Amino acid sequence: MNYLSEKHKTLSESQQSGLMLWFGRLPMDKKAVAIGLSLTVGIGTAAMAWQGTSSDRIYFCIKTPKKTLTCQDKNNRPFRMTPYYWEQWKNDGMPRQVVRDPAMGVNGLVKATNPYKPFWAFGGFLGFALAGWMLRHCQDEEKQRAVFEDIAQKRDAAKAEMAARSELIESYRDVAIAEVQLQADLDLIANDRTVDIQKAEIYAHTEIEVTQMEATDAIFEAQTAGMTEEQKAEYIKQLREMKTPYLQGSQTLAGTIDPNDKVTGSEPGAIANSDKYRWIKNTIGYPTLIFGGMGAGKSWTTREIIWHKRQAGWNQIFVLDPHGTEVEWRGVNLITGYREIADFMQWYMAEMRRRYKAYRESGMVEEQWTQHLRDTNQHFCVVAEEFTTWTDNIIEPMPDDCEDDKWKPDPDFIGKWFRCAMTESRKQLMIPLFVAHDRTMEILAKAKGLSKLRDAALLEVELIATIDPITTEAKASGQGKIKLPGHGQWIDIELPKLDQKRIDFRFDESVTSDAQSNTSHVDPKLSTDHQTAERIWQLEFNLDKPPADSSPTPSLTPVAQSLLQFLQRTGRTSAVIQEIQPNFKVKGQRFSSLELKRLFNELVEASLAVWLDVNTIEISSNHPDGQDGQN
């Protein structure tokens, strides 16, 4: 045993007998023999002590008056006692009725069969005690040995683990070296390919510039054909002094017509101090997020932005309000209820894919395509009211071509719609306006990891609430901040002062006529672009009808015109969505109830029909094509 100190050793040895010291020095097999012998002695002596009697006994009986002998008590136990107590009883006056039992021993005396019984018992005790003592000594030594065995096992396991790690490190080193060599080779090849591609791009760009220069020279020669040299010089001077007719900076053709232009943080005049409410114009053509706490004025400000959109020519406004009512949303397309909103979201993404496919096949540039969407009244705005609650209540609706037992809603349905509306909507003029309580991605459709995309794609408006000192309730402060897409700077703004919440977004006749009169002052160059876009539309998308017959009602989209002609051809004076849906199709394509409702609304806004209820319209009889189409 390892002792902690000499004192520890002295105390331990002083409490051990010589026998145990001798026993501790024995090998394990001899210790087992010694313990076995001790147990054998203990068991043998205990067995000897267990049997026989250690003292003599005198058995006696009692004579009854009937001269019979009673030798047992009521429990059938014999009357007996030792000779010592028998003599004592005789000296004290033993009754004459007590006589020795003649049936037991010699005159009632039975001799002891094991007079050394106490010695045998003591020997058994010593045998068991010695064996236990030796076992306790062995147990103490085994406990000490187990500690060292455990330490030895842990040491061996640690050595094995270190050896395995060493092998893994060597293997990882070889793999890492191979990866670095392979990556270096790939980078070298990629660099060579990049150089080749850049050379090809430079050559192509140069060729395009040369072609453009030649085309410009040819156009200039055609424009100045028949002019003298002096007239040419005067014409060139006039062009240099004129304001360039081409688009500048971040302008687009759609933005010039709107006339809402793109807004970037680098333009110092994006939000001018001279017009403190000009920031509202910046929200018209951009995906926008309006957020703020309770009572900050989100609802009133949102409605004011919608009104400015209507004034700017966005006559199709879809308001997705889960708890909205027709009374508070007059003049817009209200979609209320989470189920109906989910159907619209599904239609919205399908419409987005359809428009991008049509755009790729149109052969138009982006400006011509957006102008075409405006001319065919396909531009619209989507207002996502109470957007904070959508993720807890909206589930992806099951498509019509899916079996019930195989349908599993996408848990990221709202996130996909949010990303689609946020990033892909601007080129297709399907502009969203989100209204939420905060700008965190956990609040906005739980779309984690998209904060950079939000900062780059959304125009954000924060409304600031204040506390009423009397009622201690939150109320609008009339102040806010705006952050332009792609910029981190927040600019202070002032909210418009409103006396009441706007609930009617319809135009009167004077406003409509003014808007139509303003369109007559469009730049001739832009008018030419519009004609080009319209011609491409007729050539690419409307091959079934000649241009003269394709637009009997110019304010309607081609699909809405087809619907109007279908209603006139079938002689209907009213139409119900559920009745029209299975019968109406365009080029083999059928429409959902939500799409038909949007087409019905186009007819209503074009004064060709009126709403009877949420699913039924009545065809106006005063339309110039109305009666003729029926007859």
Side-chain angles (χ1 to χ4, degrees), residues 262-433:
K262 292 182 179 179
V263 181
T264 60
S266 59
E267 298 173 2
I271 302 177
N273 294 329
S274 58
D275 186 359
K276 58 184 178 180
Y277 301 142
R278 185 184 174 187
W279 63 269
I280 297 181
K281 299 179 180 179
N282 297 318
T283 64
I284 294 176
Y286 269 100
T288 303
L289 168 63
I290 298 178
F291 67 95
M294 298 291 293
K298 296 187 297 295
S299 179
W300 287 38
T301 304
T302 300
R303 293 167 181 268
E304 194 65 19
I305 292 175
I306 294 174
W307 177 246
H308 280 76
K309 285 179 178 285
R310 292 300 304 269
Q311 289 179 326
W314 295 74
N315 53 9
Q316 289 195 78
I317 307 292
F318 292 92
V319 177
L320 313 182
D321 188 351
H323 308 110
T325 61
E326 297 285 350
V327 177
E328 290 197 345
W329 292 104
R330 298 173 181 172
V332 298
N333 302 313
L334 174 63
I335 299 176
T336 182
Y338 290 111
R339 171 67 186 185
E340 290 76 8
I341 291 176
D343 292 335
F344 179 87
M345 293 164 62
Q346 195 174 61
W347 171 86
Y348 182 93
M349 290 190 287
E351 176 69 10
M352 185 73 72
R353 291 190 294 269
R354 185 196 67 78
R355 290 195 181 190
Y356 269 104
K357 180 181 179 182
Y359 170 54
R360 290 192 299 270
E361 298 172 353
S362 67
M364 301 184 190
V365 297
E366 180 181 341
E367 291 80 3
Q368 292 174 334
W369 175 256
T370 54
Q371 181 60 33
H372 158 68
L373 294 176
R374 291 180 182 276
D375 294 340
T376 55
N377 198 32
Q378 297 187 61
H379 59 295
F380 63 84
C381 173
V382 179
V383 182
E385 268 282 0
E386 300 184 23
F387 191 60
T388 308
T389 65
W390 286 21
T391 53
D392 298 326
N393 297 279
I394 291 181
I395 301 176
E396 181 184 11
M398 184 178 67
D400 297 335
D401 57 350
C402 183
E403 299 180 9
D404 294 349
D405 55 346
K406 296 182 179 180
W407 170 244
K408 292 183 179 179
D410 188 353
D412 192 35
F413 173 65
I414 298 179
K416 288 182 178 178
W417 182 83
F418 178 63
R419 289 188 289 271
C420 173
M422 182 171 53
T423 59
E424 301 178 359
S425 59
R426 190 171 183 274
K427 289 184 179 180
Q428 301 303 329
L429 298 184
M430 301 165 64
I431 308 299
L433 175 62

Side-chain angles (χ1 to χ4, degrees), residues 531-550:
Q531 295 173 0
T532 303
E534 181 65 26
R535 179 172 177 78
I536 293 174
W537 163 260
Q538 299 295 342
L539 293 175
E540 296 289 339
F541 297 100
N542 206 19
L543 300 179
D544 294 344
K545 297 182 181 180
D549 299 333
S550 61

